[in-house]
């Protein structure tokens, strides 16, 4: 009898969870990703601020799947799905349009930045989704201080030392506070002409409070902490424009050589591939069993899927993706062995965490609301625990301990091609 | 009284040693480098083969100089020297041709690849001098196996799995054996369609033996070890041509998608800046006190300097650069405080080491010749010891221990910008 082939597209939280769950299923698994590594996105901001090295938050997908002999890993870029003929279409290396037939398909293709119709912002306000994004932001941040150190013109120097985060969700809050901590600890005595502590760090959002997914009380605690770190928190006003020299927030122009896009995300084009119903953001409307209407063999999970629970859409977070990936895998297993279907998917929310600089986080979980040092400890432990490999847990823990004590950062590198003169 | 300014160009082994030695001198120091980090070049091949992360062999120069309050660090690209007016000319950020007046100048500008008049090889056979070189070689090597895994055509697959090192000095020997070890340990069970162990690794050199700076006995021991690792060692024949599909060695064409240039180096343009006498390779002919003839205030040290000792030119190795950097600094210190001049520079050769894969190195020091496991232990200890910071020593030691035991590599990442489709 032919062994069914499960094709999983995407090696993020959802796809990887699905692949691992299928380890002992009587199926073959093909896991396709555009990049050769799984990234722990919640810590990308620490790569961007020189604390962690890229390799400390990323693992080779191939290496993660070595022992899982029913699984093949493929580096390729999926460009479409032909649901009628049950095929995914992949570009790999110089081969365009390879067709791969599946018995079951799990689309876990995630999300990318959304500039809400202002794609012209992209060139001036990069986002933070991949290791490449984090490395170029790291280069840019370090370079800004190097340039400020040799700049004589006070206005240009000020623009070089102004950093604007657009979007006060977890990523914006974490980036802004990480830059503040960097200027106050690591950089403190490193420059001779500029005072890194005088950096102007702006966190802007249209919303009236930061960390909107948290309670008002925790938002306020986070806001106070941000202010005490010296961050200029600007709420309730839209960012009207972004160019190479700064931003306009509300009706005020701020000259800034660094703007980071920490606002919206847009789903992958999975909805377009399938030609199915999508929500307002473009995410695939899936059924309670995570399949696409009329396509019981296609599951869509994670940030690119849209599913309501208790009348509200599930958030685009790692936990949802992982639980959905595992559910899809279990569901396929039961169908393959001829078992009854699972009850509809239910997301179990373990809670919500965001860190604000050193020694401070906010935590909201099962009725508990906590801010401060204890929440920060929980944050650290949870993030260590969710890394993909033991070796990374050990390495990140050591790095954090060292940076915590010494104030130094291990990856303070501007890496770029030097032209030989 | 005005404090004399010592300008040091280059934060490699020579420049950094000079800067550190001037810590307690009554001078101001300006250390200029094109990149923001000091790289431990002898371990670049381990970054290229995914064992170490860039941050494990590199340190922020600014961070290394934090406590040294008489020293200012500048990120800039020196483009010339005006010896008559005692000025260096620097491009930094968008400022072209900044002129900085010095009282003493130490040029420690190192070397880059030399294609011996075949600059057209550069596009197809990159070298290994910077972190950027090492990262792109890492991306390329990992990518070659990913591409081979999805390649159906046997000839193309073979070319993807053929790796040619041009030049059998230490870098070539180390790269070739590191690739061999990677295919035999880390990659062993990771692919489903290709057998990584079948990779064809070629080490080519015009010379009749590898590691020409070692004794014939050690060269032969290294050669045997290379062969036992499955490496195709091709000696005594020149590389006639390199293109995007392979190389011609002697009169045989080898199809290969990866060619690494591990042969010659060319000095920085310091000689051109000074308009002084250079040797055949273009290195500045310096005097026994390391200054340039007629310019007692200009020292040239390291790979870009040419000095004979016992009738033979000093080799372009880290030890020479470090000893020369320290000598130049001491010499300046004595002149500033009005002390007598130092005796002429003498290089003290502590010995020579090269590693050939796992558990094997060759060592030649003060009449001792050693090959095998003991030499490998010495190699590891010496390299750990010469890293610039304690934190790196600790981190590299742990990483090596982990890779040694598990066979896994911590930095198996292809990092590149993904285009959103």
């Amino acid at each position: 009898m032919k062994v069914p082939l499960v094709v999983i597209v995407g090696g993020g939280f959802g796809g990887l969870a699905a692949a691992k769950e299928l380890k002992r299923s009587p199926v073959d698994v093909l896991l396709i990703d555009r990049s050769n590594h799984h990234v722990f996105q919640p810590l990308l901001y620490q790569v961007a601020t020189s604390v962690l090295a890229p390799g400390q938050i990323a693992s080779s997908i191939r290496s993660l799947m070595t022992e899982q002999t029913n699984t093949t890993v493929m580096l390729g870029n999926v460009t479409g799905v032909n649901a009628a003929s049950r095929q995914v279409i992949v570009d790999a290396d110089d081969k365009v349009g390879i067709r791969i037939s599946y018995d079951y398909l799990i689309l876990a293709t995630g999300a990318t930045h959304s500039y809400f119709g202002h794609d012209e912002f992209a060139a001036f306000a990069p986002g933070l989704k991949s290791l490449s994004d984090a490395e170029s932001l790291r280069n840019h941040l370090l370079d800004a201080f190097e340039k400020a150190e040799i700049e004589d013109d006070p206005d240009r120097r000020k623009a070089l030392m102004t950093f604007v985060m657009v979007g006060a969700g977890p990523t914006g809050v974490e980036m802004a506070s990480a830059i503040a901590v960097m200027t106050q600890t690591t950089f403190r005595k490193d420059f001779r002409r500029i005072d890194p502590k005088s950096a102007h760090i702006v966190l802007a959002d249209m919303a009236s409070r930061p960390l909107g997914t948290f309670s008002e009380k925790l938002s306020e605690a986070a806001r106070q902490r941000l202010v005490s770190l010296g961050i200029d928190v600007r709420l309730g006003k839209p960012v009207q424009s972004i160019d190479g020299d700064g931003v306009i927030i509300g009706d005020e122009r701020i000259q800034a050589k660094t703007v980071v896009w920490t606002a919206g995300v847009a789903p992958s084009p999975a909805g377009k591939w399938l030609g199915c119903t999508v929500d307002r953001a473009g995410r695939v409307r899936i059924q309670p069993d995570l399949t696409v209407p009329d396509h019981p063999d296609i599951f869509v999970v994670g940030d690119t899927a849209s599913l309501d629970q208790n009348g509200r859409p599930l958030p685009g977070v790692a936990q949802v993706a992982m639980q959905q990936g595992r559910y899809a895998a279990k569901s396929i297993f039961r169908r393959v062995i001829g078992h009854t279907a699972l009850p509809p998917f239910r997301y179990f929310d373990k809670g919500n965490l965001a860190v604000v600089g050193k020694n401070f986080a906010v935590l909201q979980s099962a009725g508990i609301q906590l801010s401060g040092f204890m929440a920060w400890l929980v944050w650290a432990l949870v993030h260590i625990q969710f890394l993909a490999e033991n070796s990374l847990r050990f390495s990140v823990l050591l790095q954090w301990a060292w940076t915590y004590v010494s104030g130094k950062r291990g990856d303070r590198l501007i890496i770029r091609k030097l032209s030989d003169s």
Side-chain angles (χ1 to χ4, degrees), chain A residues 161-243:
Chain A
M161 290 183 67
T162 301
F163 304 89
V164 181
M165 277 14 85
V166 182
T171 308
V173 167
E174 286 165 355
M175 267 306 292
S177 51
I179 296 173
V181 171
M182 182 164 77
T183 60
Q184 290 158 19
T185 61
T186 313
F187 286 180
R188 198 164 49 94
K189 297 196 290 180
D190 281 9
F191 293 83
R192 306 290 179 243
R193 302 180 68 207
I194 58 168
D195 177 9
K197 287 194 296 298
S198 70
H200 182 201
I201 302 161
V202 181
L203 179 64
D205 204 302
M206 264 185 77
S208 60
R209 59 191 182 97
L211 301 177
T213 57
F214 288 77
S215 72
E216 292 201 15
K217 189 181 132 198
L218 290 179
S219 274
E220 178 54 22
R223 197 193 59 77
Q224 287 178 15
R225 179 69 174 188
L226 288 163
V227 170
S228 80
L229 285 168
I231 292 162
D232 182 358
V233 184
R234 304 204 172 198
L235 300 165
K237 281 178 189 161
V239 169
Q240 308 282 4
S241 117
I242 306 176
D243 59 39

Side-chain angles (χ1 to χ4, degrees), chain A residues 89-108:
Chain A
I89 299 141
V90 191
D91 292 350
D93 189 15
D94 53 358
K95 293 166 188 57
V96 175
I98 305 170
R99 288 169 176 271
I100 297 171
S101 297
Y102 59 80
D103 295 296
Y104 296 95
L105 176 63
I106 301 177
L107 294 174

Side-chain angles (χ1 to χ4, degrees), chain A residues 250-274:
Chain A
D251 48 14
E252 189 184 347
R253 179 159 183 97
I254 298 174
Q255 299 295 102
K257 282 292 180 185
T258 306
V259 182
V260 186
W261 188 260
T262 53
V265 294
S268 75
K272 283 179 207 148
W273 298 342
L274 298 171

Side-chain angles (χ1 to χ4, degrees), chain A residues 14-253:
Chain A
L16 199 62
K20 283 182 174 171
E21 188 70 34
L22 287 167
K23 184 171 184 178
R24 284 186 192 82
S25 292
V27 296
D28 283 332
V29 178
L30 175 65
L31 177 54
I32 307 174
D33 198 291
R34 301 188 292 175
S35 85
N36 84 324
H37 48 271
H38 167 77
V39 183
F40 190 74
Q41 289 188 352
L43 291 177
L44 272 178
Y45 80 95
Q46 296 211 350
V47 173
T49 52
S50 304
V51 175
L52 297 177
Q56 289 178 307
I57 64 160
S59 308
S60 151
I61 296 173
R62 193 172 287 293
S63 161
L64 291 173
M65 292 293 128
T66 294
E67 305 293 339
Q68 193 164 321
T69 47
N70 69 341
T71 303
T72 301
V73 174
M74 179 180 181
L75 183 64
N77 190 22
V78 169
T79 59
V81 172
N82 187 330
S85 62
R86 297 177 135 198
Q87 288 180 321
V88 287
I89 299 141
V90 191
D91 292 350
D93 189 15
D94 53 358
K95 293 166 188 57
V96 175
I98 305 170
R99 288 169 176 271
I100 297 171
S101 297
Y102 59 80
D103 295 296
Y104 296 95
L105 176 63
I106 301 177
L107 294 174
T109 40
T112 180
H113 322 297
S114 165
Y115 291 90
F116 303 131
H118 285 284
D119 286 347
E120 73 276 14
F121 291 177
F124 310 111
L128 197 56
K129 273 288 185 189
S130 69
L131 285 184
S132 164
D133 292 342
E135 276 204 334
S136 46
L137 189 50
R138 183 188 71 192
N139 286 351
H140 183 87
L141 283 174
L142 296 174
D143 216 26
F145 287 93
E146 294 296 336
K147 288 174 174 177
E149 173 83 347
I150 52 171
E151 180 60 63
D152 294 316
D153 180 85
D155 289 338
R156 293 181 59 171
R157 186 187 284 190
K158 195 157 175 248
L160 284 165
M161 290 183 67
T162 301
F163 304 89
V164 181
M165 277 14 85
V166 182
T171 308
V173 167
E174 286 165 355
M175 267 306 292
S177 51
I179 296 173
V181 171
M182 182 164 77
T183 60
Q184 290 158 19
T185 61
T186 313
F187 286 180
R188 198 164 49 94
K189 297 196 290 180
D190 281 9
F191 293 83
R192 306 290 179 243
R193 302 180 68 207
I194 58 168
D195 177 9
K197 287 194 296 298
S198 70
H200 182 201
I201 302 161
V202 181
L203 179 64
D205 204 302
M206 264 185 77
S208 60
R209 59 191 182 97
L211 301 177
T213 57
F214 288 77
S215 72
E216 292 201 15
K217 189 181 132 198
L218 290 179
S219 274
E220 178 54 22
R223 197 193 59 77
Q224 287 178 15
R225 179 69 174 188
L226 288 163
V227 170
S228 80
L229 285 168
I231 292 162
D232 182 358
V233 184
R234 304 204 172 198
L235 300 165
K237 281 178 189 161
V239 169
Q240 308 282 4
S241 117
I242 306 176
D243 59 39
D245 293 311
V247 297
I248 299 176
I249 301 174
D251 48 14
E252 189 184 347
R253 179 159 183 97

